[in-house]
Amino acid sequence: MDFTSPPERYWHCSVKIAGKKDYSVVNDLTFQELDRTIVSPWNTGRTFTVSGTLIRSTESVEAIKITHTDQPRSYYAERHNERMRASRISDLATNRSLLPLSLGTDLTYELLFSGKQEATPEPDVRMVEQLCKRLPQAARILAVRSRKGKKAYEISDEYDVQDLLHALLRAYLKYSVQEDPLPKVAGAKSSRADISIEELGVLIEVKYVHGPEDQKRLFEEYSQDLVLYAQWSHLRTLVYLIYNSADLRDGEAFEKLSSTQEIGGKRFDVKVVLA
């Protein structure tokens, strides 16, 4: 983006202070307001406020994000509410003020950290997402083995998907990849995510679609899983992998659930992958 002539509207910012539970969010700023109240004070070390929260020093900020959208906050909130109503979901968890921050163009680095080295391993997170998307292609090769006496690898449930994905992730990533990583969070086996990559802050939850009737079940489990996995202290990205998604009644309804969530003071990205 050319910051010599930036868009006048609509700019959004979220800030989380270390030790505080919730994010402070401000929406629909003009660029002049954003520059005067947030960007300039940040870059010059001056005290500033975001939605009533006083930021005395950048050192006290645990997370900050600035995005630009073509529409105001109300537009994204209304569209989200319409999708939830159409899917018959009662969504009380999503903070509508955060929607423009997940759907807009992220310009935090350009405005606040230009010239500094990026700390998060985003390329590796994107690789995880891509491997999830391409998993059916790998499965098809193993399902039809031409060599005599070699058994086919068939995928018929979540466990088959998990095993294949786990093997692929270990081949590509230098980080530790674990299965069932959450016994300390809730204690019960049903509360464990399928795969975790702690260094990346990534959890992968695998769902297998047996037929169109699974649509309702998966929606219900999605809402429950968000609340559960938000308790994992390392969580930055939850990948919700739905395998055999072609059998869903309405797969697009799940894709629209990809967003930034904030639950219990934990803010994380949700990436729904249909495979």
Side-chain angles (χ1 to χ4, degrees):
M1 180 178 289
D2 181 8
F3 286 104
T4 61
S5 182
E8 177 64 15
R9 302 175 182 271
Y10 299 91
W11 294 86
H12 317 271
C13 179
S14 67
V15 176
K16 185 176 187 298
I17 301 298
K20 298 291 184 180
K21 180 180 178 181
D22 298 318
Y23 281 77
S24 296
V25 183
V26 62
N27 298 114
D28 300 342
L29 295 174
T30 65
F31 185 79
Q32 286 77 9
E33 290 171 337
L34 176 76
D35 184 63
R36 185 182 73 253
T37 62
I38 298 173
V39 175
S40 181
W42 176 279
N43 288 326
T44 57
R46 292 184 283 118
T47 299
F48 62 101
T49 61
V50 175
S51 189
T53 298
L54 185 66
I55 294 92
R56 299 184 183 277
S57 167
T58 58
E59 298 297 322
S60 66
V61 175
E62 183 175 298
I64 185 168
K65 187 174 185 179
I66 295 174
T67 65
H68 171 260
T69 60
D70 294 327
Q71 302 290 338
R73 170 196 175 279
S74 59
Y75 172 83
Y76 300 98
E78 289 167 4
R79 291 192 65 191
H80 178 82
N81 292 338
E82 289 172 1
R83 289 195 296 268
M84 294 301 100
R85 285 194 294 269
S87 301
R88 297 182 179 180
I89 298 175
S90 178
D91 180 13
L92 302 179
T94 300
N95 183 343
R96 273 56 171 178
S97 295
L98 289 171
L99 291 174
L101 287 145
S102 63
L103 299 172
T105 302
D106 188 346
L107 295 164
T108 312
Y109 178 82
E110 289 82 352
L111 290 168
L112 304 182
F113 301 103
S114 182
K116 298 180 181 179
Q117 189 174 19
E118 189 172 344
T120 56
E122 286 300 325
D124 288 330
V125 175
R126 288 196 294 270
M127 180 183 290
V128 170
E129 187 178 2
Q130 184 66 13
L131 287 173
C132 289
K133 290 178 179 178
R134 300 290 296 176
L135 195 62
Q137 282 75 6
R140 279 197 287 270
I141 293 174
L142 294 175
V144 181
R145 304 184 68 184
S146 58
R147 288 180 175 82
K148 186 177 180 180
K150 296 296 182 181
K151 294 183 179 180
Y153 184 83
E154 297 181 356
I155 292 183
S156 58
D157 57 28
E158 283 93 345
Y159 299 110
D160 296 330
V161 179
Q162 290 171 30
D163 289 343
L164 180 56
L165 179 59
H166 194 180
L168 287 174
L169 290 171
R170 282 188 175 273
Y172 275 91
L173 298 176
K174 61 184 178 182
Y175 310 106
S176 172
V177 180
Q178 301 180 36
E179 295 183 74
D180 287 339
L182 300 178
K184 295 180 181 179
V185 170
K189 182 175 176 58
S190 61
S191 71
R192 299 178 182 179
D194 297 316
I195 296 174
S196 73
I197 309 169
E198 185 174 314
E199 290 87 343
L200 298 179
V202 171
L203 287 181
I204 303 174
E205 175 65 17
V206 176
K207 302 293 183 182
Y208 185 89
V209 180
H210 295 277
E213 65 279 0
D214 281 345
Q215 181 100 9
K216 181 179 179 181
R217 173 181 65 84
L218 293 181
F219 265 126
E220 292 174 350
E221 291 179 357
Y222 170 83
S223 299
Q224 296 168 3
D225 289 340
L226 287 188
V227 175
L228 171 68
Y229 298 145
Q231 299 176 64
W232 192 47
S233 61
H234 307 286
L235 182 62
R236 296 198 297 273
T237 303
L238 172 63
V239 178
Y240 214 76
L241 171 59
I242 303 177
Y243 197 88
N244 198 33
S245 61
D247 282 357
L248 286 170
R249 187 176 293 110
D250 181 11
E252 290 186 1
F254 285 96
E255 285 187 320
K256 294 173 182 177
L257 295 177
S258 293
S259 63
T260 297
Q261 295 283 338
E262 182 178 358
I263 299 175
K266 167 69 69 174
R267 187 164 178 261
F268 56 96
D269 292 325
V270 178
K271 299 182 182 295
V272 178
V273 176
L274 301 184

